[in-house]
Each structure stands twice: as structure tokens, then as C-alpha cells.
Amino acid sequence: MQRDKDILFVHPVYRSMKWLEKYMDRYYVDPILGFILPGGLGDTLSSLLALPFIYYSLFVVKSVPLTLAVTVNILRDILLGLIPFFVGDIFDCFFRSYGRNLRLITGYVNGDRKTVTEVRRKTAFSVVVILVLLLLIILLVKIAWMLGAWLIGLFS
């Protein structure tokens, strides 16, 4: 069993997740991308960089409940980052989804009883949260699009 865990922790995707957590959360690259790249491009790039966490939890660890929990964190980060007028970028400084997901995955792989129980207990709830977060993200993007069109019309 320990050998299996050791193999998971030397997996190249796990190493990339540790690297992403370090730079995106600890060095604040996630909120900086949201601040620098306009129109949600920074948040889109940030969400694409979170894909290794989904891949690792689904295809390496092979746990659907863990994947759902990781996806909830990623979608929360996207939703918070999309809040306009730099408010979302400030939230990105504090939410730190990369670290949350890395701790979640590491705890799950290590068999941490609290983490495993929490992930399994929240499986059905995670599906509902994912649907709600997706709807809110779509709504926020639509509002941002309408606001942008209004501003362009104002200055043309």
C-alpha cells in the first residue's frame, strides 16, 4: 500500500500540481493573471492551469468523489475571479484553490480519515454545487458581456 502511495507522489502530474500550487497561490500568479488579462482571460487561463488536478484525481487516483470535490474548488475560484472591478482578483488572493486542491488530493491519497470521509460525504452535494456554480458563472459572464457592450456603446 505504501509503495502505491509513493508511486502516486512521484507521478509527473503530481509534481506539476505542486509547482502550480507554489506559483499560482503562494506567489499570487492567479490573481495577477486576473488583474493583467482583461475580460476574464486571466480567469480562463487560470482555470485551464487547474486541469491537472482534475486529471490526477480522476485518472491517476481514480476517484469520482475526489474529482467532484476538486472541481467544486476550481469552479468557486473561477466564479470569485470573475467578479468585476478587481473585487474578484482580491478574492483570488485569499481563496487559493490550488493549495486547497493539493491538500485535498494529498490527504485523500494518504488515507487521511477526515479528508476521505469529507470527500465521500459531500459527493451528492458536490454535484448540486457544481451545477449551481456553472449557472452562476454563465450568468456572471453574460452580465459582464452586457456591461461591456453597454460601455462600448457609451463611448462610441
Side-chain angles (χ1 to χ4, degrees), residues 54-139:
I54 294 174
Y55 173 84
Y56 189 84
S57 61
L58 187 60
F59 296 110
V60 179
V61 180
K62 298 179 180 165
S63 170
V64 171
L66 178 63
T67 305
L68 291 171
V70 166
T71 303
V72 166
N73 283 336
I74 293 168
L75 290 175
R76 276 187 195 152
D77 185 54
I78 293 169
L79 181 65
L80 291 173
L82 284 174
I83 298 173
F85 308 114
F86 308 113
V87 174
D89 301 322
I90 294 168
F91 280 133
D92 266 346
C93 290
F94 298 104
F95 185 65
R96 300 182 180 198
S97 68
Y98 292 88
R100 287 173 188 252
N101 282 335
L102 188 63
R103 284 188 299 278
L104 201 60
I105 290 170
T106 303
Y108 194 87
V109 169
N110 278 329
D112 176 55
R113 181 172 267 143
K114 182 180 175 189
T115 302
V116 172
T117 302
E118 179 183 341
V119 165
R120 289 183 180 160
R121 185 176 53 84
K122 291 183 176 180
T123 301
F125 182 68
S126 293
V127 172
V128 173
V129 170
I130 287 170
L131 293 174
V132 169
L133 288 171
L134 285 172
L135 288 173
L136 289 172
I137 289 168
I138 291 168
L139 180 65

